[in-house]
Amino acid sequence: MNTQLVSEGVPCNRARYGALEPVVRDFAGYLKRRGYAGVTIENYLQCASHFGRWLTAQRVAIQHIDDTALHRFLTVHLPVCHCCKPSPRTPTNLRRALRHLVCMLRSEGIILPRSTPVSRFISEELLRFDAYLQDVQGLASATRLYRLRYVREFLLARFGWGPIVLERLKPDDICRFVTDRAAACQPRTAGIIGDCLRSYLRFRRLHGQPTEPLIAAVPRVAHWRLAALPDSLTDSELAGLVNAFDRKCPTGRRDYAMVRCLVDLGLRASEVAFIQLDDMDWREGTLRIAKAKAKRTTLLPLPAETGRAIVDYLRFGRPRTDSRALFVRHRAPRDEPVGPSLVRNAVRCAYARCGLAQRWTGTHVLRHSTASRLLREGASLKDIADLLRHRSVNTTTIYVKVDLPRLTTVALPWPGTRT
């Protein structure tokens, strides 16, 4: 079946595909399984043909394809390319095709996984630190990525390609790194950089190294989380947002159901993306949140509006697929669950359609709005904390620390003014 995807006008041989000739049919099958149209597959095969003939001319074997070879092809060869047709020369199109090609080669084990430009000393140290963050501290993958990112930058800036010797570090090295990185950051981000270094230094302390002076040298950023009022949408803005979807088309039905989960239940974008069909209990009217930030499974009541939106999507919008994910992609690559970025993009486009793009861009403000709305309706902080799955009520106060309508009823008149 896959052989029909390769153009019959030009035979599949080494003269056309060069070094990629052994894998071209696998590449065509890979694209078809992911739901790409025939014209797109043919276009990507022509891009692979161009890249394969360049590899042959440069005497680069298929197993030696890496980021350096891709960079040379796109930035050195392409601007002066005079290859015979068919040789696509559009950089954006070529990048898309080669990105899929490299993913397939890595998944098949033909080329090595993408490596980071760090020494083996830093690479091994980051592996140990990541295991500590996961097994000892139990941090989520997104949090671990942040900590590994800034620790990698610190180790690379201080030790380069040599071994890691913490005895060489001085408090000034720690302070200088944080202040340099924090110069172009928001206070909260600057605080995260300091937290990452403290976490790493505590990790080394557990291994017997006296890092207490270095931990004390990490500067703390002045940031009062309760100083400002929480951002939230008004009721009219929320109404405009949920009405900004075309519920007559499959994609609109999916995006509307996702936004109802965000608005009605205060879910995070990642939690919406990870909902499975088995998480829905229609008899009990509950939704199970399994892949949450705190790694706890929680049962939430399913509001009627949210349930109707999901049912409408399942009956008239969700494509036929073997995936057990509730929300799936409608465009290639199909048969895959949506990711958090697709959820955020759907909300971002809705902001633009209802005229809120100048004020809002993310999804977390909807979580704030859910908490603020519940507080106005008389819910207690404990009830809101249970819905948002906060372990501490103090965390919930970040979302709903001031109830302005109730404060206006007890506010005293300003001295000297008429009552």
Side-chain angles (χ1 to χ4, degrees):
M1 179 182 293
N2 292 341
T3 57
Q4 298 177 357
L5 297 173
V6 182
S7 175
E8 298 178 359
V10 180
C12 179
N13 53 32
R14 190 169 182 82
R16 180 182 181 188
Y17 292 100
L20 295 179
E21 186 272 333
V23 299
V24 64
R25 297 192 187 278
D26 293 334
F27 183 43
Y30 171 86
L31 294 172
K32 182 178 181 182
R33 288 192 300 272
R34 294 172 70 85
Y36 285 93
V39 63
T40 303
I41 295 176
E42 180 64 24
N43 181 266
Y44 283 179
L45 289 177
Q46 291 180 0
C47 294
S49 169
H50 189 183
F51 182 56
R53 285 184 275 112
W54 177 85
L55 292 173
T56 301
Q58 298 295 315
R59 298 183 179 180
V60 178
I62 187 173
Q63 62 269 23
H64 294 153
I65 297 175
D66 55 13
D67 292 340
T68 302
L70 295 173
H71 180 75
R72 287 172 52 202
F73 173 74
L74 293 171
T75 62
V76 178
H77 167 73
L78 203 59
V80 296
C81 173
H82 295 288
C83 298
C84 60
K85 296 182 179 181
S87 297
R89 296 180 176 86
T90 305
T92 303
N93 197 29
L94 282 165
R95 286 192 180 93
R96 292 196 188 105
L98 297 183
R99 183 171 63 248
H100 288 293
L101 174 66
V102 170
C103 287
M104 186 209 72
L105 295 177
R106 284 175 177 153
S107 65
E108 297 291 335
I110 299 175
I111 63 176
L112 296 175
R114 186 173 185 176
S115 59
T116 54
V118 296
S119 67
R120 65 178 181 86
F121 303 104
I122 296 180
S123 179
E124 294 172 357
E125 181 76 353
L126 293 176
L127 288 176
R128 291 190 291 267
F129 182 48
D130 185 45
Y132 161 79
L133 295 176
Q134 182 176 8
D135 300 336
V136 178
Q137 293 196 329
L139 298 182
S141 58
T143 306
R144 301 203 314 271
L145 286 175
Y146 266 108
R147 299 203 175 183
L148 292 172
R149 169 190 171 186
Y150 291 116
V151 171
R152 181 190 297 111
E153 290 182 6
F154 172 72
L155 295 177
L156 191 60
R158 184 61 187 85
F159 301 106
W161 293 88
I164 300 173
V165 184
L166 290 189
E167 289 77 6
R168 299 179 184 175
L169 287 179
K170 298 179 181 179
D172 288 344
D173 299 328
I174 303 288
C175 185
R176 189 180 306 110
F177 175 82
V178 176
T179 53
D180 289 345
R181 295 300 190 280
C185 299
Q186 296 291 331
R188 186 174 181 181
T189 304
I192 291 175
I193 297 175
D195 293 339
C196 295
L197 289 187
R198 290 191 198 93
S199 178
Y200 171 69
L201 294 173
R202 293 190 187 105
F203 158 72
R204 293 303 297 262
R205 184 176 62 183
L206 290 177
H207 288 74
Q209 292 190 290
T211 58
E212 289 83 356
L214 298 177
I215 295 175
V218 179
R220 296 187 177 275
V221 180
H223 175 61
W224 295 270
R225 63 176 187 172
L226 299 179
L229 295 177
D231 294 328
S232 62
L233 276 68
T234 64
D235 292 341
S236 60
E237 290 174 337
L238 282 175
L241 176 67
V242 297
N243 291 327
F245 296 93
D246 181 9
R247 284 183 272 169
K248 296 181 180 179
C249 68
T251 304
R253 289 189 172 101
R254 181 199 63 190
D255 295 348
Y256 174 73
M258 293 192 302
V259 167
R260 294 255 44 139
C261 292
L262 295 169
V263 171
D264 298 336
L265 295 172
L267 299 184
R268 302 176 179 91
S270 59
E271 294 168 347
V272 173
F274 295 148
I275 296 176
Q276 303 292 306
L277 292 174
D278 300 330
D279 294 332
M280 314 289 299
D281 189 336
W282 296 106
R283 293 184 181 274
E284 298 294 332
T286 59
L287 171 64
R288 181 179 60 186
I289 304 299
K291 293 187 177 181
K293 182 178 180 181
K295 297 184 178 179
R296 294 180 298 170
T297 299
T298 307
L299 284 180
L300 297 179
L302 187 63
E305 285 295 330
T306 311
R308 280 193 286 268
I310 293 175
V311 169
D312 183 62
Y313 166 63
L314 291 175
R315 294 183 61 189
F316 307 110
R318 190 173 185 268
R320 293 176 178 240
T321 173
D322 295 331
S323 176
R324 298 300 297 171
L326 174 61
F327 301 112
V328 296
R329 292 180 58 90
H330 290 195
R331 298 176 59 186
R334 295 189 181 94
D335 292 339
E336 291 190 3
V338 301
S341 59
L342 191 149
V343 178
R344 298 187 187 98
N345 187 62
V347 176
R348 191 177 300 114
C349 293
Y351 285 146
R353 290 194 295 269
C354 65
L356 297 176
Q358 298 297 325
R359 294 184 57 195
W360 314 110
T361 57
T363 60
H364 211 69
V365 67
L366 301 180
R367 189 170 168 87
H368 287 242
S369 303
T370 301
S372 300
R373 185 183 72 251
L374 292 175
L375 185 67
R376 292 195 304 269
E377 294 174 354
S380 66
L381 284 180
K382 182 62 171 63
D383 294 335
I384 299 173
D386 291 340
L387 178 65
L388 300 183
R389 286 150 286 121
H390 290 156
R391 291 185 177 181
S392 173
V393 177
N394 292 332
T395 305
T396 312
T397 60
I398 302 174
Y399 295 80
V400 290
K401 52 197 167 191
V402 176
D403 187 356
L404 294 179
R406 293 186 183 179
L407 283 179
T408 57
T409 63
V410 297
L412 295 176
W414 188 258
T417 60
R418 294 183 179 178
T419 58

Tab-separated table of all heavy atoms in Angstrom, residues 266-313:
chain	number	residue	atom	x	y	z
A	266	GLY	N	-12.450	24.842	36.117
A	266	GLY	CA	-11.176	25.420	36.514
A	266	GLY	C	-9.996	24.514	36.235
A	266	GLY	O	-8.981	24.561	36.946
A	267	LEU	N	-10.090	23.677	35.192
A	267	LEU	CA	-8.990	22.775	34.869
A	267	LEU	C	-7.839	23.530	34.229
A	267	LEU	O	-8.011	24.609	33.664
A	267	LEU	CB	-9.475	21.676	33.917
A	267	LEU	CG	-10.588	20.756	34.413
A	267	LEU	CD1	-10.873	19.683	33.382
A	267	LEU	CD2	-10.224	20.126	35.744
A	268	ARG	N	-6.662	22.948	34.312
A	268	ARG	CA	-5.498	23.459	33.598
A	268	ARG	C	-5.530	22.945	32.162
A	268	ARG	O	-6.180	21.943	31.856
A	268	ARG	CB	-4.211	23.017	34.288
A	268	ARG	CG	-4.103	23.452	35.750
A	268	ARG	CD	-2.841	22.897	36.382
A	268	ARG	NE	-2.711	23.313	37.775
A	268	ARG	CZ	-3.172	22.616	38.810
A	268	ARG	NH1	-3.806	21.468	38.601
A	268	ARG	NH2	-3.009	23.056	40.050
A	269	ALA	N	-4.788	23.614	31.269
A	269	ALA	CA	-4.780	23.206	29.864
A	269	ALA	C	-4.264	21.781	29.703
A	269	ALA	O	-4.787	20.997	28.905
A	269	ALA	CB	-3.931	24.182	29.044
A	270	SER	N	-3.235	21.410	30.465
A	270	SER	CA	-2.688	20.059	30.364
A	270	SER	C	-3.699	19.022	30.848
A	270	SER	O	-3.781	17.917	30.292
A	270	SER	CB	-1.399	19.959	31.174
A	270	SER	OG	-1.623	20.277	32.533
A	271	GLU	N	-4.478	19.361	31.870
A	271	GLU	CA	-5.470	18.415	32.378
A	271	GLU	C	-6.590	18.186	31.369
A	271	GLU	O	-7.088	17.065	31.230
A	271	GLU	CB	-6.028	18.932	33.703
A	271	GLU	CG	-4.983	18.957	34.814
A	271	GLU	CD	-5.438	19.731	36.039
A	271	GLU	OE1	-6.454	20.461	35.937
A	271	GLU	OE2	-4.769	19.622	37.083
A	272	VAL	N	-6.986	19.234	30.654
A	272	VAL	CA	-8.001	19.072	29.609
A	272	VAL	C	-7.464	18.187	28.494
A	272	VAL	O	-8.161	17.305	27.980
A	272	VAL	CB	-8.425	20.447	29.064
A	272	VAL	CG1	-9.354	20.294	27.867
A	272	VAL	CG2	-9.100	21.262	30.150
A	273	ALA	N	-6.219	18.396	28.105
A	273	ALA	CA	-5.634	17.624	27.010
A	273	ALA	C	-5.503	16.148	27.350
A	273	ALA	O	-5.579	15.292	26.460
A	273	ALA	CB	-4.260	18.203	26.645
A	274	PHE	N	-5.342	15.811	28.623
A	274	PHE	CA	-5.084	14.427	29.012
A	274	PHE	C	-6.349	13.661	29.419
A	274	PHE	O	-6.256	12.514	29.846
A	274	PHE	CB	-4.091	14.386	30.173
A	274	PHE	CG	-2.724	14.893	29.804
A	274	PHE	CD1	-1.929	15.543	30.740
A	274	PHE	CD2	-2.243	14.735	28.525
A	274	PHE	CE1	-0.677	16.024	30.403
A	274	PHE	CE2	-0.985	15.203	28.171
A	274	PHE	CZ	-0.202	15.854	29.109
A	275	ILE	N	-7.528	14.259	29.303
A	275	ILE	CA	-8.759	13.549	29.664
A	275	ILE	C	-8.971	12.368	28.714
A	275	ILE	O	-8.861	12.503	27.488
A	275	ILE	CB	-9.973	14.495	29.615
A	275	ILE	CG1	-9.830	15.602	30.667
A	275	ILE	CG2	-11.257	13.718	29.855
A	275	ILE	CD1	-10.944	16.624	30.611
A	276	GLN	N	-9.293	11.207	29.272
A	276	GLN	CA	-9.562	10.005	28.497
A	276	GLN	C	-11.070	9.699	28.498
A	276	GLN	O	-11.815	10.158	29.374
A	276	GLN	CB	-8.805	8.810	29.085
A	276	GLN	CG	-7.304	9.013	29.174
A	276	GLN	CD	-6.649	9.073	27.805
A	276	GLN	OE1	-6.820	8.165	26.983
A	276	GLN	NE2	-5.902	10.149	27.562
A	277	LEU	N	-11.500	8.929	27.526
A	277	LEU	CA	-12.910	8.533	27.476
A	277	LEU	C	-13.304	7.754	28.727
A	277	LEU	O	-14.435	7.868	29.216
A	277	LEU	CB	-13.171	7.690	26.226
A	277	LEU	CG	-13.072	8.416	24.880
A	277	LEU	CD1	-13.211	7.413	23.744
A	277	LEU	CD2	-14.131	9.496	24.758
A	278	ASP	N	-12.379	6.966	29.262
A	278	ASP	CA	-12.680	6.171	30.448
A	278	ASP	C	-12.785	7.024	31.705
A	278	ASP	O	-13.217	6.513	32.750
A	278	ASP	CB	-11.590	5.106	30.649
A	278	ASP	CG	-11.495	4.167	29.454
A	278	ASP	OD1	-12.533	3.948	28.808
A	278	ASP	OD2	-10.381	3.672	29.171
A	279	ASP	N	-12.393	8.281	31.633
A	279	ASP	CA	-12.491	9.157	32.808
A	279	ASP	C	-13.899	9.692	33.009
A	279	ASP	O	-14.188	10.280	34.054
A	279	ASP	CB	-11.519	10.343	32.662
A	279	ASP	CG	-10.070	9.907	32.694
A	279	ASP	OD1	-9.779	8.864	33.321
A	279	ASP	OD2	-9.216	10.597	32.099
A	280	MET	N	-14.777	9.506	32.028
A	280	MET	CA	-16.142	10.011	32.120
A	280	MET	C	-17.055	8.938	32.705
A	280	MET	O	-17.101	7.809	32.199
A	280	MET	CB	-16.655	10.424	30.738
A	280	MET	CG	-15.687	11.254	29.913
A	280	MET	SD	-15.478	12.912	30.540
A	280	MET	CE	-17.125	13.534	30.406
A	281	ASP	N	-17.748	9.263	33.776
A	281	ASP	CA	-18.749	8.372	34.359
A	281	ASP	C	-20.103	9.054	34.197
A	281	ASP	O	-20.494	9.917	34.985
A	281	ASP	CB	-18.444	8.113	35.838
A	281	ASP	CG	-19.325	7.022	36.433
A	281	ASP	OD1	-20.432	6.800	35.892
A	281	ASP	OD2	-18.910	6.390	37.422
A	282	TRP	N	-20.839	8.649	33.153
A	282	TRP	CA	-22.080	9.333	32.826
A	282	TRP	C	-23.194	8.979	33.814
A	282	TRP	O	-24.087	9.791	34.060
A	282	TRP	CB	-22.499	8.971	31.400
A	282	TRP	CG	-21.524	9.439	30.378
A	282	TRP	CD1	-20.642	8.674	29.676
A	282	TRP	CD2	-21.289	10.786	29.959
A	282	TRP	NE1	-19.873	9.460	28.846
A	282	TRP	CE2	-20.250	10.761	28.994
A	282	TRP	CE3	-21.852	12.018	30.310
A	282	TRP	CZ2	-19.785	11.908	28.375
A	282	TRP	CZ3	-21.376	13.164	29.685
A	282	TRP	CH2	-20.357	13.105	28.744
A	283	ARG	N	-23.160	7.792	34.395
A	283	ARG	CA	-24.201	7.419	35.355
A	283	ARG	C	-24.085	8.247	36.632
A	283	ARG	O	-25.079	8.694	37.195
A	283	ARG	CB	-24.114	5.933	35.672
A	283	ARG	CG	-24.455	5.025	34.486
A	283	ARG	CD	-24.434	3.572	34.895
A	283	ARG	NE	-24.746	2.709	33.762
A	283	ARG	CZ	-25.965	2.376	33.390
A	283	ARG	NH1	-27.000	2.853	34.060
A	283	ARG	NH2	-26.163	1.582	32.351
A	284	GLU	N	-22.854	8.422	37.100
A	284	GLU	CA	-22.632	9.176	38.334
A	284	GLU	C	-22.487	10.672	38.086
A	284	GLU	O	-22.540	11.469	39.025
A	284	GLU	CB	-21.379	8.658	39.048
A	284	GLU	CG	-21.469	7.208	39.471
A	284	GLU	CD	-22.523	6.990	40.538
A	284	GLU	OE1	-22.800	7.941	41.315
A	284	GLU	OE2	-23.079	5.874	40.616
A	285	GLY	N	-22.265	11.057	36.823
A	285	GLY	CA	-22.085	12.473	36.509
A	285	GLY	C	-20.788	13.032	37.053
A	285	GLY	O	-20.768	14.140	37.608
A	286	THR	N	-19.685	12.276	36.884
A	286	THR	CA	-18.384	12.703	37.412
A	286	THR	C	-17.329	12.635	36.322
A	286	THR	O	-17.477	11.914	35.321
A	286	THR	CB	-17.945	11.828	38.599
A	286	THR	OG1	-17.853	10.453	38.171
A	286	THR	CG2	-18.918	11.942	39.755
A	287	LEU	N	-16.282	13.381	36.544
A	287	LEU	CA	-15.117	13.392	35.666
A	287	LEU	C	-13.887	13.117	36.519
A	287	LEU	O	-13.658	13.787	37.530
A	287	LEU	CB	-14.975	14.748	34.959
A	287	LEU	CG	-13.687	14.980	34.176
A	287	LEU	CD1	-13.586	14.009	33.012
A	287	LEU	CD2	-13.617	16.426	33.667
A	288	ARG	N	-13.104	12.139	36.116
A	288	ARG	CA	-11.897	11.782	36.855
A	288	ARG	C	-10.694	12.512	36.266
A	288	ARG	O	-10.445	12.453	35.062
A	288	ARG	CB	-11.656	10.273	36.794
A	288	ARG	CG	-10.413	9.808	37.558
A	288	ARG	CD	-10.273	8.309	37.473
A	288	ARG	NE	-10.144	7.877	36.084
A	288	ARG	CZ	-10.121	6.605	35.706
A	288	ARG	NH1	-10.273	5.659	36.604
A	288	ARG	NH2	-9.992	6.298	34.419
A	289	ILE	N	-9.969	13.229	37.110
A	289	ILE	CA	-8.746	13.913	36.699
A	289	ILE	C	-7.584	13.093	37.232
A	289	ILE	O	-7.298	13.084	38.435
A	289	ILE	CB	-8.691	15.358	37.238
A	289	ILE	CG1	-9.938	16.128	36.800
A	289	ILE	CG2	-7.442	16.059	36.753
A	289	ILE	CD1	-10.096	16.252	35.305
A	290	ALA	N	-6.934	12.350	36.334
A	290	ALA	CA	-5.865	11.440	36.754
A	290	ALA	C	-4.494	12.073	36.606
A	290	ALA	O	-3.645	11.944	37.483
A	290	ALA	CB	-5.942	10.139	35.950
A	291	LYS	N	-4.253	12.760	35.487
A	291	LYS	CA	-2.933	13.334	35.240
A	291	LYS	C	-2.944	14.798	35.646
A	291	LYS	O	-2.943	15.711	34.827
A	291	LYS	CB	-2.557	13.183	33.770
A	291	LYS	CG	-2.346	11.735	33.356
A	291	LYS	CD	-1.807	11.643	31.948
A	291	LYS	CE	-1.525	10.198	31.564
A	291	LYS	NZ	-0.967	10.077	30.188
A	292	ALA	N	-2.971	15.011	36.955
A	292	ALA	CA	-2.996	16.365	37.490
A	292	ALA	C	-1.599	16.780	37.918
A	292	ALA	O	-0.676	15.977	37.971
A	292	ALA	CB	-3.961	16.451	38.672
A	293	LYS	N	-1.473	18.054	38.269
A	293	LYS	CA	-0.178	18.592	38.642
A	293	LYS	C	0.366	17.930	39.901
A	293	LYS	O	1.555	17.670	40.014
A	293	LYS	CB	-0.309	20.111	38.860
A	293	LYS	CG	0.986	20.809	39.221
A	293	LYS	CD	0.756	22.297	39.372
A	293	LYS	CE	2.051	23.021	39.745
A	293	LYS	NZ	1.821	24.474	39.909
A	294	ALA	N	-0.503	17.634	40.874
A	294	ALA	CA	-0.072	17.044	42.140
A	294	ALA	C	-0.013	15.521	42.090
A	294	ALA	O	0.201	14.889	43.117
A	294	ALA	CB	-1.011	17.489	43.263
A	295	LYS	N	-0.222	14.917	40.915
A	295	LYS	CA	-0.154	13.467	40.738
A	295	LYS	C	-1.175	12.744	41.619
A	295	LYS	O	-0.908	11.667	42.153
A	295	LYS	CB	1.268	12.951	41.030
A	295	LYS	CG	2.322	13.491	40.072
A	295	LYS	CD	3.661	12.871	40.338
A	295	LYS	CE	4.692	13.371	39.339
A	295	LYS	NZ	6.026	12.791	39.580
A	296	ARG	N	-2.330	13.332	41.787
A	296	ARG	CA	-3.402	12.708	42.538
A	296	ARG	C	-4.615	12.550	41.634
A	296	ARG	O	-4.881	13.391	40.782
A	296	ARG	CB	-3.780	13.545	43.763
A	296	ARG	CG	-2.702	13.640	44.827
A	296	ARG	CD	-3.191	14.492	45.978
A	296	ARG	NE	-3.479	15.854	45.538
A	296	ARG	CZ	-4.102	16.764	46.291
A	296	ARG	NH1	-4.507	16.448	47.499
A	296	ARG	NH2	-4.310	17.984	45.817
A	297	THR	N	-5.341	11.474	41.830
A	297	THR	CA	-6.572	11.243	41.083
A	297	THR	C	-7.741	11.848	41.845
A	297	THR	O	-7.926	11.573	43.037
A	297	THR	CB	-6.802	9.745	40.872
A	297	THR	OG1	-5.706	9.199	40.127
A	297	THR	CG2	-8.091	9.503	40.112
A	298	THR	N	-8.524	12.678	41.151
A	298	THR	CA	-9.623	13.397	41.787
A	298	THR	C	-10.891	13.214	40.964
A	298	THR	O	-10.852	13.231	39.732
A	298	THR	CB	-9.295	14.897	41.903
A	298	THR	OG1	-8.030	15.059	42.540
A	298	THR	CG2	-10.361	15.620	42.701
A	299	LEU	N	-11.999	13.012	41.664
A	299	LEU	CA	-13.311	12.956	41.019
A	299	LEU	C	-13.997	14.303	41.173
A	299	LEU	O	-14.153	14.808	42.284
A	299	LEU	CB	-14.178	11.862	41.632
A	299	LEU	CG	-13.860	10.418	41.235
A	299	LEU	CD1	-14.809	9.464	41.943
A	299	LEU	CD2	-13.950	10.232	39.729
A	300	LEU	N	-14.407	14.888	40.050
A	300	LEU	CA	-15.085	16.175	40.055
A	300	LEU	C	-16.500	16.010	39.526
A	300	LEU	O	-16.741	15.206	38.610
A	300	LEU	CB	-14.332	17.190	39.186
A	300	LEU	CG	-12.920	17.552	39.609
A	300	LEU	CD1	-12.321	18.544	38.605
A	300	LEU	CD2	-12.893	18.151	41.006
A	301	PRO	N	-17.449	16.747	40.070
A	301	PRO	CA	-18.806	16.713	39.501
A	301	PRO	C	-18.814	17.339	38.118
A	301	PRO	O	-18.154	18.354	37.877
A	301	PRO	CB	-19.623	17.532	40.507
A	301	PRO	CG	-18.630	18.423	41.166
A	301	PRO	CD	-17.340	17.655	41.226
A	302	LEU	N	-19.549	16.736	37.219
A	302	LEU	CA	-19.591	17.212	35.839
A	302	LEU	C	-20.806	18.106	35.664
A	302	LEU	O	-21.953	17.633	35.693
A	302	LEU	CB	-19.667	16.026	34.877
A	302	LEU	CG	-19.563	16.343	33.391
A	302	LEU	CD1	-18.203	16.948	33.064
A	302	LEU	CD2	-19.786	15.077	32.558
A	303	PRO	N	-20.620	19.425	35.484
A	303	PRO	CA	-21.767	20.323	35.292
A	303	PRO	C	-22.559	19.961	34.037
A	303	PRO	O	-22.030	19.385	33.084
A	303	PRO	CB	-21.113	21.705	35.170
A	303	PRO	CG	-19.765	21.552	35.805
A	303	PRO	CD	-19.345	20.147	35.528
A	304	ALA	N	-23.827	20.309	34.056
A	304	ALA	CA	-24.711	19.950	32.946
A	304	ALA	C	-24.251	20.573	31.634
A	304	ALA	O	-24.238	19.905	30.585
A	304	ALA	CB	-26.147	20.370	33.271
A	305	GLU	N	-23.876	21.875	31.654
A	305	GLU	CA	-23.434	22.545	30.419
A	305	GLU	C	-22.182	21.887	29.863
A	305	GLU	O	-22.049	21.698	28.652
A	305	GLU	CB	-23.193	24.022	30.689
A	305	GLU	CG	-24.453	24.858	30.827
A	305	GLU	CD	-25.246	24.910	29.533
A	305	GLU	OE1	-24.627	24.831	28.451
A	305	GLU	OE2	-26.480	25.019	29.596
A	306	THR	N	-21.246	21.542	30.741
A	306	THR	CA	-20.015	20.882	30.294
A	306	THR	C	-20.333	19.512	29.702
A	306	THR	O	-19.801	19.132	28.652
A	306	THR	CB	-19.042	20.735	31.469
A	306	THR	OG1	-18.912	21.980	32.144
A	306	THR	CG2	-17.686	20.276	30.985
A	307	GLY	N	-21.206	18.755	30.374
A	307	GLY	CA	-21.574	17.439	29.861
A	307	GLY	C	-22.247	17.515	28.507
A	307	GLY	O	-21.964	16.702	27.615
A	308	ARG	N	-23.159	18.489	28.321
A	308	ARG	CA	-23.821	18.631	27.024
A	308	ARG	C	-22.832	18.986	25.920
A	308	ARG	O	-22.949	18.487	24.793
A	308	ARG	CB	-24.924	19.686	27.116
A	308	ARG	CG	-26.212	19.185	27.746
A	308	ARG	CD	-27.358	20.160	27.518
A	308	ARG	NE	-27.217	21.334	28.370
A	308	ARG	CZ	-27.756	21.445	29.577
A	308	ARG	NH1	-28.478	20.443	30.068
A	308	ARG	NH2	-27.604	22.541	30.294
A	309	ALA	N	-21.868	19.839	26.236
A	309	ALA	CA	-20.864	20.202	25.229
A	309	ALA	C	-20.024	18.996	24.831
A	309	ALA	O	-19.706	18.807	23.650
A	309	ALA	CB	-19.977	21.315	25.776
A	310	ILE	N	-19.656	18.156	25.800
A	310	ILE	CA	-18.853	16.972	25.500
A	310	ILE	C	-19.667	15.961	24.696
A	310	ILE	O	-19.167	15.359	23.731
A	310	ILE	CB	-18.329	16.354	26.809
A	310	ILE	CG1	-17.328	17.307	27.482
A	310	ILE	CG2	-17.670	15.009	26.542
A	310	ILE	CD1	-16.840	16.837	28.832
A	311	VAL	N	-20.930	15.762	25.071
A	311	VAL	CA	-21.780	14.825	24.326
A	311	VAL	C	-21.970	15.294	22.888
A	311	VAL	O	-21.910	14.492	21.937
A	311	VAL	CB	-23.138	14.676	25.042
A	311	VAL	CG1	-24.133	13.935	24.146
A	311	VAL	CG2	-22.967	13.932	26.354
A	312	ASP	N	-22.185	16.580	22.688
A	312	ASP	CA	-22.351	17.117	21.335
A	312	ASP	C	-21.095	16.886	20.506
A	312	ASP	O	-21.182	16.540	19.321
A	312	ASP	CB	-22.665	18.614	21.417
A	312	ASP	CG	-22.918	19.211	20.051
A	312	ASP	OD1	-23.874	18.786	19.371
A	312	ASP	OD2	-22.140	20.111	19.649
A	313	TYR	N	-19.935	17.025	21.136
A	313	TYR	CA	-18.683	16.787	20.409
A	313	TYR	C	-18.519	15.303	20.098
A	313	TYR	O	-18.116	14.935	18.980
A	313	TYR	CB	-17.502	17.288	21.251
A	313	TYR	CG	-16.161	16.804	20.761
A	313	TYR	CD1	-15.679	17.154	19.507
A	313	TYR	CD2	-15.376	15.971	21.552
A	313	TYR	CE1	-14.450	16.704	19.056
A	313	TYR	CE2	-14.146	15.521	21.114
A	313	TYR	CZ	-13.687	15.882	19.868
A	313	TYR	OH	-12.479	15.431	19.425
